mmCIF file of all heavy atoms in Angstrom:
data_model
loop_
_atom_site.group_PDB
_atom_site.id
_atom_site.type_symbol
_atom_site.label_atom_id
_atom_site.label_comp_id
_atom_site.label_asym_id
_atom_site.label_seq_id
_atom_site.Cartn_x
_atom_site.Cartn_y
_atom_site.Cartn_z
ATOM 1 N N ALA M 1 158.600 93.062 75.404
ATOM 2 C CA ALA M 1 159.086 94.420 75.161
ATOM 3 C C ALA M 1 159.047 95.248 76.440
ATOM 4 O O ALA M 1 159.944 96.051 76.704
ATOM 5 C CB ALA M 1 158.249 95.083 74.073
ATOM 6 N N GLN M 2 158.022 95.029 77.259
ATOM 7 C CA GLN M 2 157.910 95.754 78.524
ATOM 8 C C GLN M 2 159.033 95.357 79.473
ATOM 9 O O GLN M 2 159.587 96.202 80.182
ATOM 10 C CB GLN M 2 156.562 95.453 79.171
ATOM 11 C CG GLN M 2 156.363 96.085 80.531
ATOM 12 C CD GLN M 2 156.269 97.589 80.441
ATOM 13 O OE1 GLN M 2 155.397 98.126 79.788
ATOM 14 N NE2 GLN M 2 157.169 98.290 81.098
ATOM 15 N N LEU M 3 159.405 94.062 79.478
ATOM 16 C CA LEU M 3 160.480 93.604 80.357
ATOM 17 C C LEU M 3 161.837 94.122 79.893
ATOM 18 O O LEU M 3 162.644 94.582 80.690
ATOM 19 C CB LEU M 3 160.501 92.074 80.388
ATOM 20 C CG LEU M 3 159.387 91.376 81.167
ATOM 21 C CD1 LEU M 3 159.516 89.874 81.004
ATOM 22 C CD2 LEU M 3 159.424 91.749 82.633
ATOM 23 N N VAL M 4 162.080 94.032 78.586
ATOM 24 C CA VAL M 4 163.383 94.420 78.051
ATOM 25 C C VAL M 4 163.562 95.927 78.060
ATOM 26 O O VAL M 4 164.630 96.448 78.378
ATOM 27 C CB VAL M 4 163.557 93.869 76.623
ATOM 28 C CG1 VAL M 4 164.869 94.346 76.020
ATOM 29 C CG2 VAL M 4 163.511 92.344 76.648
ATOM 30 N N THR M 5 162.488 96.661 77.709
ATOM 31 C CA THR M 5 162.529 98.124 77.685
ATOM 32 C C THR M 5 161.490 98.635 78.673
ATOM 33 O O THR M 5 160.328 98.797 78.314
ATOM 34 C CB THR M 5 162.230 98.660 76.278
ATOM 35 O OG1 THR M 5 163.073 97.990 75.347
ATOM 36 C CG2 THR M 5 162.458 100.152 76.192
ATOM 37 N N PRO M 6 161.854 98.862 79.915
ATOM 38 C CA PRO M 6 160.871 99.223 80.939
ATOM 39 C C PRO M 6 159.998 100.399 80.584
ATOM 40 O O PRO M 6 158.822 100.419 80.926
ATOM 41 C CB PRO M 6 161.753 99.525 82.164
ATOM 42 C CG PRO M 6 162.992 98.727 81.934
ATOM 43 C CD PRO M 6 163.208 98.732 80.446
ATOM 44 N N SER M 7 160.552 101.382 79.898
ATOM 45 C CA SER M 7 159.755 102.569 79.593
ATOM 46 C C SER M 7 159.022 102.441 78.272
ATOM 47 O O SER M 7 158.331 103.366 77.853
ATOM 48 C CB SER M 7 160.652 103.809 79.550
ATOM 49 O OG SER M 7 161.645 103.657 78.541
ATOM 50 N N GLY M 8 159.160 101.287 77.598
ATOM 51 C CA GLY M 8 158.634 101.173 76.253
ATOM 52 C C GLY M 8 157.133 101.124 76.154
ATOM 53 O O GLY M 8 156.511 101.975 75.549
ATOM 54 N N LEU M 9 156.524 100.105 76.780
ATOM 55 C CA LEU M 9 155.101 99.878 76.515
ATOM 56 C C LEU M 9 154.210 100.829 77.268
ATOM 57 O O LEU M 9 153.275 101.387 76.707
ATOM 58 C CB LEU M 9 154.755 98.428 76.901
ATOM 59 C CG LEU M 9 153.390 97.944 76.456
ATOM 60 C CD1 LEU M 9 153.295 97.936 74.943
ATOM 61 C CD2 LEU M 9 153.097 96.574 77.012
ATOM 62 N N ALA M 10 154.476 101.028 78.543
ATOM 63 C CA ALA M 10 153.572 101.852 79.336
ATOM 64 C C ALA M 10 153.689 103.316 79.003
ATOM 65 O O ALA M 10 152.725 104.056 79.067
ATOM 66 C CB ALA M 10 153.849 101.628 80.827
ATOM 67 N N ALA M 11 154.922 103.759 78.648
ATOM 68 C CA ALA M 11 155.110 105.180 78.449
ATOM 69 C C ALA M 11 154.922 105.618 77.017
ATOM 70 O O ALA M 11 154.798 106.789 76.737
ATOM 71 C CB ALA M 11 156.531 105.581 78.902
ATOM 72 N N ALA M 12 154.903 104.683 76.072
ATOM 73 C CA ALA M 12 154.784 105.060 74.678
ATOM 74 C C ALA M 12 153.332 105.071 74.280
ATOM 75 O O ALA M 12 152.712 104.046 74.109
ATOM 76 C CB ALA M 12 155.561 104.072 73.801
ATOM 77 N N ALA M 13 152.769 106.276 74.165
ATOM 78 C CA ALA M 13 151.360 106.404 73.837
ATOM 79 C C ALA M 13 150.985 105.777 72.514
ATOM 80 O O ALA M 13 149.910 105.217 72.390
ATOM 81 C CB ALA M 13 150.967 107.884 73.854
ATOM 82 N N PRO M 14 151.843 105.848 71.455
ATOM 83 C CA PRO M 14 151.434 105.248 70.194
ATOM 84 C C PRO M 14 151.291 103.735 70.271
ATOM 85 O O PRO M 14 150.613 103.156 69.456
ATOM 86 C CB PRO M 14 152.577 105.639 69.239
ATOM 87 C CG PRO M 14 153.217 106.825 69.876
ATOM 88 C CD PRO M 14 153.091 106.593 71.343
ATOM 89 N N ASP M 15 151.931 103.080 71.243
ATOM 90 C CA ASP M 15 151.848 101.636 71.329
ATOM 91 C C ASP M 15 150.516 101.188 71.897
ATOM 92 O O ASP M 15 149.887 100.272 71.385
ATOM 93 C CB ASP M 15 152.999 101.094 72.181
ATOM 94 C CG ASP M 15 154.331 101.271 71.481
ATOM 95 O OD1 ASP M 15 154.334 101.507 70.268
ATOM 96 O OD2 ASP M 15 155.351 101.170 72.172
ATOM 97 N N MET M 16 150.081 101.793 72.978
ATOM 98 C CA MET M 16 148.803 101.448 73.593
ATOM 99 C C MET M 16 148.112 102.740 74.000
ATOM 100 O O MET M 16 148.584 103.451 74.878
ATOM 101 C CB MET M 16 149.013 100.540 74.809
ATOM 102 C CG MET M 16 149.515 99.157 74.477
ATOM 103 S SD MET M 16 149.585 98.098 75.942
ATOM 104 C CE MET M 16 147.858 98.004 76.354
ATOM 105 N N SER M 17 147.027 103.034 73.342
ATOM 106 C CA SER M 17 146.318 104.267 73.643
ATOM 107 C C SER M 17 144.865 104.128 73.217
ATOM 108 O O SER M 17 144.488 103.156 72.556
ATOM 109 C CB SER M 17 146.974 105.464 72.930
ATOM 110 O OG SER M 17 146.941 105.265 71.525
ATOM 111 N N ILE M 18 144.068 105.108 73.618
ATOM 112 C CA ILE M 18 142.658 105.155 73.240
ATOM 113 C C ILE M 18 142.380 106.525 72.642
ATOM 114 O O ILE M 18 142.553 107.548 73.314
ATOM 115 C CB ILE M 18 141.740 104.908 74.461
ATOM 116 C CG1 ILE M 18 142.059 103.548 75.103
ATOM 117 C CG2 ILE M 18 140.278 104.965 74.047
ATOM 118 C CD1 ILE M 18 141.246 103.258 76.347
ATOM 119 N N ALA M 19 141.979 106.531 71.376
ATOM 120 C CA ALA M 19 141.606 107.777 70.704
ATOM 121 C C ALA M 19 140.106 108.014 70.897
ATOM 122 O O ALA M 19 139.300 107.116 70.648
ATOM 123 C CB ALA M 19 141.947 107.713 69.218
ATOM 124 N N VAL M 20 139.759 109.191 71.360
ATOM 125 C CA VAL M 20 138.365 109.487 71.704
ATOM 126 C C VAL M 20 137.865 110.652 70.854
ATOM 127 O O VAL M 20 138.544 111.671 70.714
ATOM 128 C CB VAL M 20 138.235 109.833 73.203
ATOM 129 C CG1 VAL M 20 136.785 110.142 73.553
ATOM 130 C CG2 VAL M 20 138.751 108.682 74.062
ATOM 131 N N LYS M 21 136.687 110.474 70.301
ATOM 132 C CA LYS M 21 136.012 111.546 69.573
ATOM 133 C C LYS M 21 134.655 111.793 70.229
ATOM 134 O O LYS M 21 133.993 110.844 70.646
ATOM 135 C CB LYS M 21 135.812 111.158 68.098
ATOM 136 C CG LYS M 21 137.106 111.057 67.316
ATOM 137 C CD LYS M 21 136.811 110.728 65.845
ATOM 138 C CE LYS M 21 138.090 110.646 65.037
ATOM 139 N NZ LYS M 21 137.814 110.316 63.615
ATOM 140 N N PRO M 22 134.220 113.050 70.358
ATOM 141 C CA PRO M 22 134.819 114.275 69.815
ATOM 142 C C PRO M 22 135.873 114.898 70.713
ATOM 143 O O PRO M 22 136.358 115.990 70.420
ATOM 144 C CB PRO M 22 133.615 115.197 69.713
ATOM 145 C CG PRO M 22 132.771 114.815 70.879
ATOM 146 C CD PRO M 22 132.911 113.326 70.993
ATOM 147 N N GLY M 23 136.247 114.241 71.813
ATOM 148 C CA GLY M 23 137.216 114.844 72.723
ATOM 149 C C GLY M 23 136.578 116.006 73.465
ATOM 150 O O GLY M 23 135.432 115.945 73.896
ATOM 151 N N THR M 24 137.318 117.081 73.633
ATOM 152 C CA THR M 24 136.760 118.289 74.247
ATOM 153 C C THR M 24 136.002 119.076 73.167
ATOM 154 O O THR M 24 136.553 119.355 72.102
ATOM 155 C CB THR M 24 137.875 119.148 74.845
ATOM 156 O OG1 THR M 24 138.513 118.393 75.900
ATOM 157 C CG2 THR M 24 137.331 120.444 75.408
ATOM 158 N N ALA M 25 134.744 119.400 73.462
ATOM 159 C CA ALA M 25 133.920 120.043 72.437
ATOM 160 C C ALA M 25 132.808 120.856 73.090
ATOM 161 O O ALA M 25 132.536 120.742 74.291
ATOM 162 C CB ALA M 25 133.322 118.986 71.504
ATOM 163 N N ARG M 26 132.173 121.698 72.270
ATOM 164 C CA ARG M 26 130.986 122.442 72.683
ATOM 165 C C ARG M 26 129.769 121.749 72.082
ATOM 166 O O ARG M 26 129.741 121.439 70.891
ATOM 167 C CB ARG M 26 131.060 123.890 72.184
ATOM 168 C CG ARG M 26 132.256 124.648 72.722
ATOM 169 C CD ARG M 26 132.386 126.003 72.028
ATOM 170 N NE ARG M 26 131.269 126.882 72.379
ATOM 171 C CZ ARG M 26 130.789 127.823 71.583
ATOM 172 N NH1 ARG M 26 131.290 127.992 70.368
ATOM 173 N NH2 ARG M 26 129.804 128.600 71.992
ATOM 174 N N VAL M 27 128.751 121.511 72.895
ATOM 175 C CA VAL M 27 127.559 120.800 72.433
ATOM 176 C C VAL M 27 126.317 121.607 72.806
ATOM 177 O O VAL M 27 126.293 122.308 73.831
ATOM 178 C CB VAL M 27 127.474 119.386 73.045
ATOM 179 C CG1 VAL M 27 128.653 118.528 72.601
ATOM 180 C CG2 VAL M 27 127.442 119.445 74.575
ATOM 181 N N PRO M 28 125.274 121.536 71.998
ATOM 182 C CA PRO M 28 124.037 122.260 72.315
ATOM 183 C C PRO M 28 123.349 121.675 73.551
ATOM 184 O O PRO M 28 123.342 120.463 73.757
ATOM 185 C CB PRO M 28 123.185 122.070 71.062
ATOM 186 C CG PRO M 28 124.147 121.660 69.983
ATOM 187 C CD PRO M 28 125.213 120.893 70.672
ATOM 188 N N LYS M 29 122.781 122.527 74.335
ATOM 189 C CA LYS M 29 122.059 122.074 75.521
ATOM 190 C C LYS M 29 120.841 121.268 75.108
ATOM 191 O O LYS M 29 120.096 121.657 74.208
ATOM 192 C CB LYS M 29 121.645 123.283 76.349
ATOM 193 C CG LYS M 29 120.984 122.916 77.674
ATOM 194 C CD LYS M 29 120.695 124.162 78.496
ATOM 195 C CE LYS M 29 120.085 123.805 79.845
ATOM 196 N NZ LYS M 29 119.822 125.000 80.662
ATOM 197 N N GLY M 30 120.628 120.132 75.768
ATOM 198 C CA GLY M 30 119.498 119.269 75.473
ATOM 199 C C GLY M 30 119.730 118.304 74.327
ATOM 200 O O GLY M 30 118.844 117.509 74.003
ATOM 201 N N SER M 31 120.913 118.344 73.724
ATOM 202 C CA SER M 31 121.181 117.449 72.590
ATOM 203 C C SER M 31 121.739 116.115 73.073
ATOM 204 O O SER M 31 122.085 115.954 74.252
ATOM 205 C CB SER M 31 122.169 118.102 71.625
ATOM 206 O OG SER M 31 123.432 118.264 72.262
ATOM 207 N N ASP M 32 121.835 115.175 72.164
ATOM 208 C CA ASP M 32 122.483 113.893 72.423
ATOM 209 C C ASP M 32 123.874 113.926 71.795
ATOM 210 O O ASP M 32 124.064 114.508 70.726
ATOM 211 C CB ASP M 32 121.679 112.746 71.825
ATOM 212 C CG ASP M 32 120.262 112.687 72.382
ATOM 213 O OD1 ASP M 32 120.046 113.209 73.489
ATOM 214 O OD2 ASP M 32 119.382 112.120 71.705
ATOM 215 N N GLN M 33 124.827 113.309 72.450
ATOM 216 C CA GLN M 33 126.201 113.314 71.938
ATOM 217 C C GLN M 33 126.752 111.899 71.925
ATOM 218 O O GLN M 33 126.736 111.200 72.941
ATOM 219 C CB GLN M 33 127.108 114.201 72.795
ATOM 220 C CG GLN M 33 128.553 114.237 72.338
ATOM 221 C CD GLN M 33 128.697 114.830 70.953
ATOM 222 O OE1 GLN M 33 128.200 115.917 70.679
ATOM 223 N NE2 GLN M 33 129.377 114.115 70.065
ATOM 224 N N GLU M 34 127.225 111.481 70.766
ATOM 225 C CA GLU M 34 127.839 110.158 70.650
ATOM 226 C C GLU M 34 129.344 110.262 70.893
ATOM 227 O O GLU M 34 130.018 111.107 70.312
ATOM 228 C CB GLU M 34 127.577 109.554 69.271
ATOM 229 C CG GLU M 34 128.132 108.131 69.138
ATOM 230 C CD GLU M 34 127.721 107.461 67.842
ATOM 231 O OE1 GLU M 34 128.450 107.650 66.841
ATOM 232 O OE2 GLU M 34 126.692 106.787 67.822
ATOM 233 N N ILE M 35 129.854 109.376 71.762
ATOM 234 C CA ILE M 35 131.282 109.297 72.069
ATOM 235 C C ILE M 35 131.833 108.047 71.395
ATOM 236 O O ILE M 35 131.283 106.951 71.570
ATOM 237 C CB ILE M 35 131.537 109.236 73.586
ATOM 238 C CG1 ILE M 35 130.818 110.392 74.297
ATOM 239 C CG2 ILE M 35 133.024 109.239 73.883
ATOM 240 C CD1 ILE M 35 131.298 111.760 73.909
ATOM 241 N N THR M 36 132.910 108.188 70.649
ATOM 242 C CA THR M 36 133.543 107.060 69.963
ATOM 243 C C THR M 36 134.962 106.870 70.495
ATOM 244 O O THR M 36 135.728 107.829 70.594
ATOM 245 C CB THR M 36 133.593 107.292 68.447
ATOM 246 O OG1 THR M 36 132.270 107.502 67.961
ATOM 247 C CG2 THR M 36 134.189 106.093 67.735
ATOM 248 N N ALA M 37 135.293 105.633 70.844
ATOM 249 C CA ALA M 37 136.633 105.304 71.346
ATOM 250 C C ALA M 37 137.257 104.259 70.434
ATOM 251 O O ALA M 37 136.631 103.234 70.143
ATOM 252 C CB ALA M 37 136.567 104.785 72.773
ATOM 253 N N THR M 38 138.488 104.504 69.997
ATOM 254 C CA THR M 38 139.215 103.571 69.130
ATOM 255 C C THR M 38 140.469 103.104 69.854
ATOM 256 O O THR M 38 141.305 103.919 70.259
ATOM 257 C CB THR M 38 139.605 104.238 67.800
ATOM 258 O OG1 THR M 38 138.418 104.739 67.168
ATOM 259 C CG2 THR M 38 140.282 103.231 66.886
ATOM 260 N N LEU M 39 140.597 101.787 70.030
ATOM 261 C CA LEU M 39 141.750 101.214 70.727
ATOM 262 C C LEU M 39 142.927 101.129 69.766
ATOM 263 O O LEU M 39 142.782 100.675 68.630
ATOM 264 C CB LEU M 39 141.415 99.819 71.260
ATOM 265 C CG LEU M 39 140.135 99.697 72.102
ATOM 266 C CD1 LEU M 39 139.995 98.274 72.625
ATOM 267 C CD2 LEU M 39 140.130 100.696 73.233
ATOM 268 N N ALA M 40 144.082 101.545 70.217
ATOM 269 C CA ALA M 40 145.296 101.506 69.398
ATOM 270 C C ALA M 40 146.371 100.704 70.122
ATOM 271 O O ALA M 40 146.719 101.011 71.259
ATOM 272 C CB ALA M 40 145.805 102.922 69.119
ATOM 273 N N GLY M 41 146.870 99.659 69.475
ATOM 274 C CA GLY M 41 147.959 98.874 70.046
ATOM 275 C C GLY M 41 147.527 97.726 70.927
ATOM 276 O O GLY M 41 148.365 97.000 71.443
ATOM 277 N N PHE M 42 146.247 97.521 71.116
ATOM 278 C CA PHE M 42 145.781 96.389 71.925
ATOM 279 C C PHE M 42 144.325 96.114 71.609
ATOM 280 O O PHE M 42 143.625 96.948 71.014
ATOM 281 C CB PHE M 42 145.971 96.659 73.427
ATOM 282 C CG PHE M 42 145.036 97.695 73.994
ATOM 283 C CD1 PHE M 42 143.958 97.327 74.777
ATOM 284 C CD2 PHE M 42 145.242 99.053 73.743
ATOM 285 C CE1 PHE M 42 143.102 98.281 75.305
ATOM 286 C CE2 PHE M 42 144.395 100.014 74.270
ATOM 287 C CZ PHE M 42 143.322 99.624 75.051
ATOM 288 N N ASP M 43 143.861 94.920 72.000
ATOM 289 C CA ASP M 43 142.471 94.523 71.822
ATOM 290 C C ASP M 43 141.821 94.346 73.182
ATOM 291 O O ASP M 43 142.493 94.038 74.168
ATOM 292 C CB ASP M 43 142.373 93.215 71.035
ATOM 293 C CG ASP M 43 142.902 93.361 69.617
ATOM 294 O OD1 ASP M 43 142.654 94.436 69.023
ATOM 295 O OD2 ASP M 43 143.543 92.424 69.117
ATOM 296 N N ALA M 44 140.521 94.528 73.231
ATOM 297 C CA ALA M 44 139.790 94.351 74.479
ATOM 298 C C ALA M 44 138.332 94.055 74.167
ATOM 299 O O ALA M 44 137.804 94.478 73.132
ATOM 300 C CB ALA M 44 139.904 95.595 75.355
#
């Protein structure tokens, strides 16, 4: 798909992307914060 459609795989965020939680957020000083990343469109 990348060869046939040059702009397809690299430029299409829904095909290969990483969803991150909580993203940009406000957190209490001195607290611990868990970051979660979900792979979309590929495995690693």
Side-chain angles (χ1 to χ4, degrees):
Q2 177 68 60
L3 287 176
V4 176
T5 309
S7 60
L9 191 63
D15 291 344
M16 292 185 65
S17 60
I18 302 177
V20 180
K21 292 182 179 180
T24 297
R26 300 172 67 210
V27 297
K29 185 176 182 179
S31 65
D32 301 337
Q33 179 63 52
E34 183 173 87
I35 307 297
T36 303
T38 304
L39 308 184
F42 71 105
D43 296 322

